[in-house]
Amino acid sequence: MAKAISTIGILTSGGDAPGMNAAIRAVTRAAIYNGWNVKGIYRGYEGLIHNEIKDFTTESVSNAVTKGGTILKTARSKDFMTPEGRQRAYEVLVDQGIDALIVIGGNGSLAGAQTFAREFDIPCIGIPGTIDNDLYGTDSTIGYDTALNTIVECVDKIRDTATSHDRIFFVEVMGRDAGFLAQNSAIAAGAEAAIIPEHLTEKDQLDEFIRRGVRKSKNSSIVIVSEGKSNGVGGAMYYAERVRNEYPEYDVRVTILGHLQRGGKPSAYDRILASRLGVASIEALKEGQRNVMIGISDDDIVYVPFNRAIKNDKMINKELINVLNVLSI
């Protein structure tokens, strides 16, 4: 028979995302509403191992809904990747009287929760918090909408100088192996092209852009590029260097937006999404759910098993690629 829950622990892990604080607030207050105690675990799994834990009350999360970043801090933990580190984390949970764990984070964070739950039979619930929007089974992740709007605001400003100087700007955005930020910000900002990992195997995206997007009537252009390397191809610097070498007639510049995409107050959508997912995580525990991610699908709350959320690739809608192609002529 499953142990009755009286105290939950909550942590944020991996990269921070706007809206994480709204989720922390929702989890805390929903748990207290249902008569449970809440303990905030600082600095993710690393803080769990080192017993950086405090009792949380409703006052602990006052006004948190408006703040970016995470009030619980976050860190990556090499120790938690080892059996010895996870054993120490479990011992801390037992000493603290924590009966269930709620983890807010991305792919790596939920993978850690899955392993931890399997080894020590503790209920773990995941809440998708990542600007990359790359977790399978949920239409959106906490932080994605805010990051998307931040990118669009920046690109709108870059457009002014691109037009003034007749330049091609390659703007690098986050997303790693997922092109959701690049593709959708390109559409929203009226960019001429998006170079994304999901499309790399199909054709030379730079060649396609040069052929289709740069004409005598359109001397300035914005190209949004997903960061990192996918299939051996680099980010914005790689494509800018190719243009300089292969098409020297064009004036090229690079802007790497970097970590400013993670910052700022969360959008209304992210605040609402985080609040819904936070409350749903407590409802899931009440129902006896364990080892699932709370997601949103067609505006309904869904429970997605960890192994599906982590291992399955979330595919970008190919219609978005066509929309950008049509509108960038």
Side-chain angles (χ1 to χ4, degrees):
M1 184 175 178
K3 179 184 175 182
I5 295 173
S6 63
T7 301
I8 67 160
I10 178 173
L11 63 83
T12 52
S13 175
D16 61 303
M20 279 184 164
N21 286 325
I24 295 168
R25 172 179 178 269
V27 170
T28 299
R29 292 193 169 178
I32 293 171
Y33 179 85
N34 283 280
W36 292 348
N37 299 315
V38 181
K39 297 200 175 187
I41 302 166
Y42 287 79
R43 297 198 312 118
Y45 294 121
E46 187 72 4
L48 177 57
I49 291 172
H50 294 287
N51 199 18
E52 299 175 24
I53 299 174
K54 293 182 180 179
D55 292 329
F56 260 38
T57 65
T58 57
E59 289 77 14
S60 301
V61 293
S62 292
N63 301 318
V65 70
T66 69
K67 299 174 182 176
T70 163
I71 59 174
L72 284 175
K73 310 296 184 180
T74 183
R76 304 190 189 277
S77 178
K78 291 183 179 179
D79 288 340
F80 193 77
M81 298 178 184
T82 68
E84 296 79 12
R86 292 191 294 272
Q87 177 65 43
R88 173 58 185 154
Y90 177 70
E91 291 169 359
V92 170
L93 281 189
V94 172
D95 289 343
Q96 288 280 351
I98 294 173
D99 307 307
L101 188 63
I102 293 179
V103 175
I104 306 171
N107 194 291
S109 303
L110 299 193
Q114 181 186 38
T115 301
F116 193 58
R118 183 174 60 244
E119 290 179 346
F120 300 102
D121 194 31
I122 182 168
C124 290
I125 301 294
I127 296 178
T130 168
I131 68 171
D132 295 348
N133 196 35
D134 60 347
L135 284 166
Y136 180 86
T138 184
D139 291 343
S140 188
T141 58
I142 295 168
Y144 170 66
D145 182 71
T146 305
L148 186 62
N149 281 283
T150 297
I151 293 167
V152 170
E153 182 180 356
C154 291
V155 173
D156 285 349
K157 293 177 180 180
I158 291 169
R159 172 75 71 181
D160 293 341
T161 193
T163 303
S164 297
H165 293 273
D166 287 339
R167 286 172 176 161
I168 299 174
F169 265 83
F170 287 90
V171 181
E172 184 174 297
V173 302
M174 288 183 170
R176 199 174 302 176
D177 296 323
F180 296 97
L181 281 173
Q183 188 68 45
N184 283 305
S185 65
I187 294 173
E192 279 64 42
I195 297 178
I196 61 174
E198 294 88 342
H199 201 34
L200 283 175
T201 57
E202 298 179 15
K203 58 187 71 177
D204 185 331
Q205 294 181 78
L206 179 62
D207 182 65
E208 181 185 34
F209 158 66
I210 293 295
R211 280 191 301 103
R212 179 179 49 81
V214 181
R215 312 183 312 278
K216 290 182 179 179
S217 61
K218 203 171 193 178
N219 294 324
S220 68
S221 296
I222 302 287
V223 182
I224 313 295
V225 185
S226 289
E227 68 177 349
K229 293 186 177 181
S230 184
N231 296 328
V233 178
M237 295 296 291
Y238 165 83
Y239 286 102
E241 192 61 27
R242 275 194 59 190
V243 171
R244 292 187 183 105
N245 292 332
E246 299 173 28
Y247 308 96
E249 65 270 28
Y250 296 118
D251 189 8
V252 180
R253 294 292 186 275
V254 171
T255 298
I256 299 175
L257 297 185
H259 285 81
L260 70 83
Q261 296 162 83
R262 292 194 184 279
K265 292 185 176 182
S267 66
Y269 178 84
D270 274 329
R271 298 183 195 195
I272 295 167
L273 175 64
S275 298
R276 290 185 67 187
L277 298 183
V279 171
S281 69
I282 298 301
E283 292 299 317
L285 286 174
K286 286 171 58 182
E287 294 172 11
Q289 296 285 340
R290 54 197 294 148
N291 312 333
V292 297
M293 179 191 77
I294 310 298
I296 193 92
S297 179
D298 294 329
D299 205 36
D300 289 327
I301 294 293
V302 294
Y303 301 152
V304 186
F306 279 155
N307 62 335
R308 291 185 60 212
I310 296 165
K311 294 181 180 178
N312 291 348
D313 290 332
K314 183 175 181 179
M315 304 304 294
I316 199 163
N317 187 343
K318 293 296 182 70
E319 180 191 352
L320 296 173
I321 297 173
N322 181 61
V323 167
L324 182 58
N325 288 342
V326 169
L327 297 181
S328 63
I329 61 172

